[in-house]
Amino acid sequence: MKKLFLCFPLLCLAACCSNKAGKVIKNELRPPAYPLITIDPYTSAWSMTDNLYDGPVKHWTGKDFPLTGAIRVDGEVYRFMGVEEVDLVTVVPSSQQGEWYGRYTTTEPGAGWTAPGFNDAAWKRDRAAFGTKINEPTAKTDWTTEHIWVRREVVLDEDLAGRKLWLEYSNDDDAVFYINGTEILSTGAMCNKDATVRIPDDVAKTLVKGRNVIAAKCWNSGGNALLDFGIVQQKELHTILEKTAVQKSVDVQATQTHYLFACGGVDLALSFSAPLFMDDLTVLSRPVNYLTYRVSSNDRKEHDVQLYFEASPRWALDQPWQESVTESLEDGDLLILRSGSREQNILAKNGDDRRIDWGYFYMAAAKEQSEINVGNSDALQKAFVGNAPCDKATKGENADGKMALTRALGTVNTADGMIMIGYDDIYSIQYFGNNLRPYWNSEGNRTIIDELHDAHREHGRLIEKCYRFDRELMLEATEAGGKKYAELCALAYRQAIAAHKLVKSPDGELLWFSKENNSNGSIGTVDITYPSAPLFLRYSTELAKGLLNHIFHYSESGRWTKPFPAHDVGTYPLANGQTYGGDMPVEEAGNMLTITAAVCIKENDASYAEKHWATLSTWANYLLEHGLDPENQLCTDDFAGRFAHNTNLSVKAIVGIASFGRLAGMLGKEEQAQTYGEKAREMAAKWIEMADDGDHYRLTFDKGGTWSQKYNLVWDKLLDLGLFPQETLRKEIAYYSGVQNRYGLPLDNRATYTKTDWIVWTATLADDRATFESFIGPMWLFMNETVDRVPMSDWVFTDKPSHRGFKARSVVGGYFIKMLENAK
C-alpha cells in the first residue's frame, strides 16, 4: 500500500464529526450553497448545486470561478468537481467591453418605445453606462432621477439566428430589458452586475443583419443607480471529462465541507478546509485553504489511481475577457501554479459585484508524485483522459493559461494527500489614503511562497484542529439551541468570516473590515458590524474591536464631525470616508455604544471604552436628545420604507444609553453611571406605555394594530441592563408565535419577508429552549428548501422558499447570539 501524505485518523470519517461519546454529528441541512474556498470577500468560492459536479464552482456573486477535479481509476476517468468552463465572446459590448451610446429619457415615453421603428429623436443621447457616477465607477452618464428609459441601436453585420446568445446586463434597481420590442427579462428588485441571461432562440432570430434595438427601463428606488447591457455568445463546448463520479454524501461543518464520492473501484473523500481560527490571527489571515483527499478501495483490491485538478485564471480576474498571465514554478518541495491579470492595477476598483483583478491566484502541492502544466483546457484534459504525454509549458496567456495539477497515486488500496489554493492580493485595503498590506504581511517581510510552505508544513496540525473545532462548535450550539440551530451556525461560520479582511492601521490597530456583500459594497458598515458582532464576541473580542476601530478613528481624526457615527468608511476596498448616500443617526449611535459595552463586559475591562470616552459621550448625548421617539430617518430595517416613531429603533437608543451608563460604572464614573442608567430606565418605562398595543407592542408609537420584531431587546437581556421587565419580553414572544409563517417570523406587519439574523435575536428573548427552537425550525426549513441556490441569504420570504435579496453577507454571524448568551 502506498501513502502520499499521512493525515490524522479522523480523515477516515470524511463527512462527519463525532461528539464526546463517539456518536456522529452530521449536518443534515441541505444548504442553499456549499462553501468551498473561503479566504476573504474576493477569494470566496461556492458550489451552488447539490452535487459538486453538477455545475461550475462560483464566486459568491454568481460569476464562474472554474475549478475542475477528475480521478482516473484503472484507466477510467470520473469527474467529481466542476463542469467544463464556458467561454463567452462579445457580440454587442457592454460599456466595460467597449464604448456605446444610447438615447434616453427620464419621463415615461409613449407606447411602442421598445420597438425598432419608434421615433426617439427627441430623447437625449449620451454615453453608457447610466448611473450615479459618484458611487458607480462604470457609470459615464449621471442618472439621478427615479426612472430612466434607454434605447440602444445596434447594427449587425450578419444574422444571429441559430447562435447561443446571452444578454449581459447590470441594473440597480428594478429593470426590464427588451430586444426588438420583445421583453427578455424583468429583474424585479434584484440588483445585478455583469449578469447574464439566455436569449430565447425565437428572439435571437429577430437579431438580423442591419438595424436592431435593445431597450431597457430601470427604476431606482433609492441609493445607487445603474443600467448597462450588451450581448455575448457562447463558444462551442467540447466535453472531455464527461463521465461523473457518484456523490454519496456532503456535510458542511464550521471550517470544512466534506464530500464523499464513488469512483468505480474506489471511494474518494474530499474535504475543503479553511482554518479560520479566531484565537490565531496569523493562521486566520493566511490566504491559503486546503483540498484534502483520501482514496480508498471499496472492493478490497488495489487500483491504479491519478487525480487531476484544473483552475482557471478567472480566479484573478474581475471579468472573463480581461487578459491574464499564468506561470509555473518550483520552490523547495513545492510545485506552484500562479495566475494574475496582465494589468495589475492594484486597488483601482471598488464596488459590490466585483472580483479582484490584482495580485495572484495560487495552486500548489508537494513535488513528490505531482506534475503541473499550463495550457488550454482541451489539451490538458485530453492528456489526462488518455494518460498521454502533453507538451509542457511553464507560461501561458488567457485561454492558454489554464492551470493543471496532476497527482499520480500509483497502485494503491488507500492513499491520502492534499493540494493548496491561495491568493496574494499584495495590498488589501486603502485606508484614508494609505495602501495597507494584508495582516499576514503587514510588516512587508513575508511572501506568499513563505505562507504556502508554512501551510504545507502545518497541514496535519491545522486539519486536526479543524475537526476538533467543528465538533466543539456543533456540541456547544446544539446544547444552546438544538440541532437545527447548530447546523445553521455551522453553515454561517465561514460565510461570516470570509466577508471580512484583516489588516493593521498605520498606527498598528487591528482593522477587521467587513464588505457589505450584495447590497452596496460599503466597507466597515456599522449596521453590518452590529448584527455580525455575536460571532466575534463569542470567539475574539480583539476582532470585535477590529470591527469598531475605524469608526472611532474616523470621528476622532476630525474627518467625520457629526454627533453620531458614520454609516461606513467607503466602498470596499477603499476606506477613505463614507460613500453611502444617507446617515443613520440613532441606528449607528446605538450600535456602536452597545457593541463597545459588550466588548468591555466580555473582557471585564473598560479600558477600550475609556480610550474613546469623549466620542462615546457625544453619541450617548445624541441618543438622550433624539432616541426615545426617533424622527423620520434611515435605519437598517427600512426595506418597506423609512418611517418615524420606530419602536424597535427606540429600544436600540435606550439600550445604547444604558450601555454607556454601564461603561461609566466600570470606569468608576459614578455620577455618569447613575445619570445615564436612570435616564435609560425612565425611557424604558415611557417606551412600554407609548408602544403598548394590548397583547403586543407596536411597530411605531403612533400606529395601533401594527407590530414588529423587537430584536434590540436582546442586549438588555445579555448585558443585564435591567431596563425592561421580563413580562415585556414574554408578551412580545407570545404574540410572535401567532404570526409566524411556514418559513419564519416576518420582520413586521408590512410584508411577508424577514431578516434571518433578527429571527435568531428575537428567539433568544425566549425563556425556554422549546420556544427558541419554535422560531429556528421554520428558518432552518427555508434554508433546506429554498429554490435560490446562493450563499445563505439573510433577507428572505416567510411564505415561499425564495429570498428577497442579499447573499453571502457577514450578518449571519448574528446567529451566534444564542451561543454568546450561553457562554456568559
Side-chain angles (χ1 to χ4, degrees), residues 292-541:
T292 305
Y293 57 82
R294 179 181 179 85
V295 173
S296 55
S297 172
N298 57 34
D299 60 6
R300 299 186 179 182
K301 298 177 182 179
E302 291 190 338
H303 298 275
D304 183 35
V305 180
Q306 297 83 33
L307 282 166
Y308 175 86
F309 297 93
E310 181 188 308
S312 167
R314 288 195 195 180
W315 283 72
L317 302 175
D318 180 31
Q319 300 297 335
W321 58 80
Q322 290 180 273
E323 293 188 344
S324 61
V325 178
T326 302
E327 62 181 341
S328 64
L329 59 138
E330 297 184 19
D331 193 277
D333 58 353
L334 294 181
L335 294 179
I336 302 170
L337 291 152
R338 175 175 73 181
S339 187
S341 70
R342 182 180 296 281
E343 294 175 310
Q344 289 298 309
N345 291 327
I346 294 175
L347 293 171
K349 293 180 179 178
N350 66 337
D352 181 23
D353 194 344
R354 288 283 187 192
R355 289 136 303 276
I356 195 168
D357 60 4
W358 67 89
Y360 296 90
F361 166 86
Y362 287 80
M363 183 164 65
K367 186 182 299 184
E368 183 182 1
Q369 295 178 301
S370 295
E371 289 187 4
I372 55 176
N373 204 356
V374 176
N376 68 71
S377 287
D378 282 2
L380 295 171
Q381 292 178 13
K382 285 177 180 177
F384 178 74
V385 169
N387 197 18
C390 181
D391 292 338
K392 297 292 183 182
T394 58
K395 292 186 177 181
E397 299 181 358
N398 305 323
D400 293 323
K402 308 296 173 58
M403 296 162 276
L405 190 159
T406 305
R407 305 217 72 185
L409 310 191
T411 302
V412 297
N413 183 277
T414 304
D416 306 298
M418 64 91 175
I419 71 169
M420 298 175 289
I421 285 181
Y423 203 98
D424 180 10
D425 58 5
I426 305 174
Y427 287 95
S428 304
I429 301 292
Q430 187 174 97
Y431 185 58
F432 296 107
N434 297 296
N435 287 354
L436 304 183
R437 299 180 187 273
Y439 179 87
W440 62 267
N441 191 29
S442 56
E443 305 304 320
N445 58 358
R446 299 280 295 174
T447 69
I448 187 65
I449 304 301
D450 296 332
E451 295 299 307
L452 287 168
H453 279 292
D454 284 353
H456 182 248
R457 183 172 54 254
E458 297 176 12
H459 171 255
R461 176 182 72 85
L462 293 177
I463 294 298
E464 185 173 5
K465 187 173 180 180
C466 282
Y467 274 92
R468 187 168 60 250
F469 179 85
D470 292 348
R471 181 170 63 254
E472 291 170 354
L473 184 146
M474 286 289 280
L475 286 168
E476 181 184 341
T478 300
E479 182 180 356
K483 179 79 161 37
K484 290 181 177 179
Y485 171 67
E487 291 174 346
L488 289 167
C489 287
L491 180 59
Y493 187 84
R494 276 175 285 168
Q495 175 173 317
I497 294 175
H500 293 81
K501 190 70 179 184
L502 185 64
V503 295
K504 278 186 180 179
S505 75
D507 296 329
E509 280 193 320
L510 276 184
L511 301 173
W512 185 225
F513 278 121
S514 64
K515 178 178 181 182
E516 195 171 337
N517 286 347
N518 202 227
S519 40
N520 58 25
S522 291
I523 184 171
T525 304
V526 177
D527 55 293
I528 294 293
T529 289
Y530 180 68
S532 67
L535 171 62
F536 306 109
L537 288 166
R538 169 62 189 86
Y539 289 106
S540 172
T541 53

Side-chain angles (χ1 to χ4, degrees), residues 172 451 543 715 745 768:
D172 188 352
E451 295 299 307
L543 287 177
W715 292 106
L745 177 66
D768 61 282

Side-chain angles (χ1 to χ4, degrees), residues 495 517-519 528 531 639 753-759 779 782-783 790-797 803-812 815:
Q495 175 173 317
N517 286 347
N518 202 227
S519 40
I528 294 293
F639 305 108
Y753 53 66
T754 193
K755 291 284 274 82
T756 58
D757 45 346
W758 299 150
I759 285 181
M779 180 178 138
F782 175 89
M783 299 303 172
V790 298
M792 191 160 48
S793 173
D794 56 285
W795 186 17
V796 306
F797 289 103
H803 78 304
R804 174 63 177 81
F806 300 162
K807 59 187 175 184
R809 302 207 315 159
S810 65
V811 301
V812 296
Y815 294 3

Side-chain angles (χ1 to χ4, degrees), residues 687-707 710 731-732 735 749:
W687 185 95
I688 292 171
E689 179 183 340
M690 294 164 60
D692 188 61
D693 205 36
D695 60 351
H696 68 283
Y697 297 95
R698 300 174 177 182
L699 167 68
T700 62
F701 291 123
D702 61 330
K703 292 182 181 178
T706 62
W707 63 270
K710 309 301 188 302
K731 184 161 82 169
E732 278 292 275
Y735 185 82
N749 62 272

